[in-house]
Amino acid sequence: MSTAEIQPASATADVPELVVGFDLDMTLIDSRPGIQAVWDLLAAETGVPIDSELVVSRLGPPLTWEMANWFPPEQVDAMVSRYREHYPSYAITGSLPLPGVAESLAAIRALRGRTMVVSAKYTPSVRLHLEHLGLDVDEPVGDLHGAEKGTALREHKATIYVGDHTADIDGARAAGAVAVSVATGPFTADELRAYGADVVLNDLTEFPAWLDAYVLEQRLEALMRRLSSYDQMVVAFSGGADSAFLLAAAARAIGPANVVAATAISPSLPTAELEPAARFADGIGVRHLTPHTHEMEREGYQANSGARCYFCKAELVETLQPIADEFGITAIATGTNADDAIAGFRPGIRAAFERGAITPLKDARLTKAQIREASRSWGLETSDKPAAACLSSRIAYGIRITPNLLARVDRAEQAVRSRLSSYGVQNVRVRDVGETASIEIDAALLDQVDHQVLVDAVVAEGFPAAQVDPRGFRSGSMNERLKDPDKYR
């Protein structure tokens, strides 16, 4: 098997996967109008005087329980069946999502989590509601009430359960999940709190902010526990936001005297990165080393196939190993985060894994956004630093990499950045695509700047020709030029 086909084996994370369960009625959706319509229809068909307003004021328990309030025991099953026959036609279209639903589901996705619905409602009806409203839920489960919900929550390893009813708190408790209550159903916030909810929110509009803060706290605690388990550590420190945060966290966890920051010097490192990296390391009091790496001597790297990063990371870890040995350090850590782990083709992650490097940020499930948020709260200057991949990522796959090509790209990018400094530019890439260069800048700036000025600046640094990409900066855009680009995402 070629290195291009190798992917890193999954490792056990230090925190459980984020799985959030939701109740349906009056938690995610206001189903009262539709449900009331079905009960009114049953009343008309049977002649039984059903107070449908009372029915919808106490949604939550199983349908059979409510039906028993209006029909004798021997008729309950038949009435339930009749109710379910009418439900798809009369109850689905009248239901609306409650405020904050879309944002709550999106917040879970952003944290790389999964979602499920666990409801006392008939499972096919649960699915119909979700499909009709376009709610993206991974696992819909019905026909469970109260503590019984804990069965499905445990099966899918839910860590949080959100509901509007005291019975939903019972379900969360049965699963060992955090019980989050929203006061959008039959119980007030005080009643839910008194019953034992861990968290009480007015409605789901408050959920994303709570979730972000809660999950970040959990993941940071896991990170610090992991880092504290080592006496000493070498951090592969590129100077970017991820490795800078890891370095700062390691210094906090085990003390700066026990942490070594190693920034690899090679033609692939943009020259502007070294001085800020040294300043950052000095600012937190850790020893900063600048070993030279020689990835240019590796044929697989120079050949510049889709697996180029494998050879680069192999060279990096193999260069850091003797340094770790010299200091008696057993742990070499990289700044790989949770987003990197699911981003598709990442041969460099495999190379580091094979050589024993650890990935504390990934193992704590910390996303790029969370790392930036935590960096801001710690006052780290790298919190908003734009992504800065190595210079080789600017050379189109298949073009043999040389120090001269890398130096040309470096000069061209500095030239473009200098001409855009007054615009507050964040991202600049000059892509070497052969006989010409493709200039990528923040999309928001495309209509504000003179493209010819940028083209002239790049040509002046040695490119035969250049053009500004009308789509703007895109991380990993070189993969679009591969024969099978989806393989490398």
Side-chain angles (χ1 to χ4, degrees):
M1 181 180 295
S2 72
T3 55
E5 297 171 309
I6 298 175
Q7 294 292 304
S10 59
T12 301
D14 295 332
V15 288
E17 180 185 14
L18 174 64
V19 181
V20 180
F22 292 91
D23 176 51
L24 185 63
D25 292 331
M26 302 313 299
T27 298
L28 289 181
I29 67 173
D30 184 352
S31 53
R32 291 174 299 183
I35 290 176
Q36 187 170 3
V38 178
W39 282 97
D40 288 340
L41 186 60
L42 280 183
E45 284 184 348
T46 62
V48 174
I50 300 173
D51 187 344
S52 60
E53 289 190 6
L54 176 61
V55 171
V56 297
S57 73
R58 57 192 185 194
L59 297 178
L63 177 60
T64 54
W65 294 16
E66 186 62 54
M67 201 67 72
N69 292 323
W70 309 102
F71 294 94
E74 65 274 12
Q75 294 182 25
V76 167
D77 287 345
M79 289 299 100
V80 166
S81 296
R82 188 62 176 153
Y83 176 96
R84 288 175 173 168
E85 289 175 11
H86 288 311
Y87 198 93
S89 299
Y90 292 88
I92 302 301
T93 57
S95 298
L96 296 172
L98 287 167
V101 169
E103 294 82 0
S104 295
L105 296 177
I108 296 165
R109 294 286 184 223
L111 294 168
R112 305 303 178 193
R114 292 189 291 114
T115 57
M116 62 185 303
V117 164
V118 186
S119 170
K121 190 183 296 293
Y122 186 46
T123 300
S125 297
V126 172
R127 294 182 184 276
L128 286 174
H129 276 296
L130 296 176
E131 291 170 2
H132 174 70
L133 295 175
L135 300 181
D136 182 18
V137 173
D138 294 310
E139 187 66 36
V141 178
D143 301 300
L144 294 174
H145 177 66
E148 294 176 342
K149 293 185 174 184
T151 303
L153 293 170
R154 284 195 308 273
E155 178 184 350
H156 294 279
K157 298 180 173 58
T159 52
I160 298 169
Y161 185 58
V162 187
D164 64 282
H165 201 284
T166 55
D168 298 325
I169 300 173
D170 293 336
R173 287 278 178 271
V178 176
V180 177
S181 292
V182 286
T184 47
F187 294 93
T188 67
D190 287 340
E191 288 171 331
L192 294 165
R193 194 174 291 110
Y195 193 81
D198 295 309
V199 179
V200 178
L201 307 174
N202 290 316
D203 55 42
L204 280 182
T205 63
E206 299 176 0
F207 181 76
W210 172 82
L211 182 71
D212 285 346
Y214 172 79
V215 172
L216 179 57
E217 179 182 7
Q218 297 295 307
R219 292 177 178 178
L220 287 177
E221 288 178 357
L223 173 67
M224 299 308 282
R225 283 196 304 271
R226 164 63 77 92
L227 295 174
S228 297
S229 69
Y230 297 96
D231 295 326
Q232 295 177 292
M233 181 173 293
V234 173
V235 174
F237 177 47
S238 68
D242 298 331
S243 61
F245 178 71
L246 175 59
L247 188 65
R252 287 187 176 208
I254 60 178
N258 296 311
V259 181
V260 175
T263 303
I265 305 299
S266 79
S268 64
L269 176 74
T271 55
E273 294 294 319
L274 184 56
E275 191 279 328
R279 186 176 64 247
F280 183 92
D282 182 65
I284 60 175
V286 304
R287 183 194 300 264
H288 185 226
L289 303 180
T290 55
H292 286 262
T293 54
H294 304 282
E295 58 268 26
M296 293 296 298
E297 297 177 8
R298 296 188 179 228
E299 172 57 28
Y301 184 87
Q302 285 187 331
N304 195 22
S305 73
R308 180 196 63 241
C309 292
Y310 180 94
F311 303 100
C312 181
K313 194 68 73 174
E315 173 69 17
L316 173 63
V317 177
E318 290 175 15
T319 298
L320 298 188
Q321 189 61 60
I323 294 174
D325 293 342
E326 178 183 350
F327 288 98
I329 299 174
T330 59
I332 298 173
T334 72
T336 301
N337 64 47
D339 291 334
D340 297 329
I342 65 166
F345 185 75
R346 288 295 187 271
I349 296 177
R350 163 61 73 176
F353 174 81
E354 290 175 344
R355 287 154 180 80
I358 60 172
T359 53
L361 302 179
K362 178 182 75 69
D363 296 341
R365 298 188 188 275
L366 284 161
T367 66
K368 185 77 169 184
Q370 287 183 309
I371 290 166
R372 291 194 184 279
E373 176 61 28
S375 296
R376 280 190 287 272
S377 70
W378 288 7
L380 302 183
E381 63 189 54
T382 52
S383 62
D384 295 317
K385 184 175 182 179
C390 80
L391 292 173
S392 296
S393 68
R394 278 71 146 175
I395 311 297
Y397 293 117
I399 297 176
R400 193 168 183 84
I401 294 175
T402 68
N404 288 338
L405 290 186
L406 298 179
R408 183 172 65 171
V409 165
D410 194 13
R411 293 193 309 270
E413 287 193 355
Q414 292 185 59
V416 171
R417 188 174 290 278
S418 69
R419 284 159 177 77
L420 297 178
S421 59
S422 62
Y423 293 89
V425 68
Q426 292 291 309
N427 297 289
V428 172
R429 294 289 187 273
V430 174
R431 312 285 193 186
D432 185 338
V433 294
E435 293 303 314
T436 187
S438 176
I439 305 168
E440 294 180 15
I441 62 174
D442 299 319
L445 298 181
L446 287 170
D447 295 332
Q448 301 180 36
V449 302
D450 186 338
H451 291 198
Q452 190 59 48
V453 169
L454 304 184
V455 168
D456 291 344
V458 170
V459 170
E461 296 302 335
F463 281 93
Q467 60 183 3
V468 177
D469 190 321
R471 294 168 292 180
F473 168 76
R474 302 177 314 288
S475 180
S477 65
M478 279 301 196
N479 290 348
E480 298 167 6
R481 302 172 183 274
L482 289 163
K483 180 178 180 181
D484 183 13
D486 288 340
K487 177 179 179 181
Y488 298 94
R489 294 193 184 283

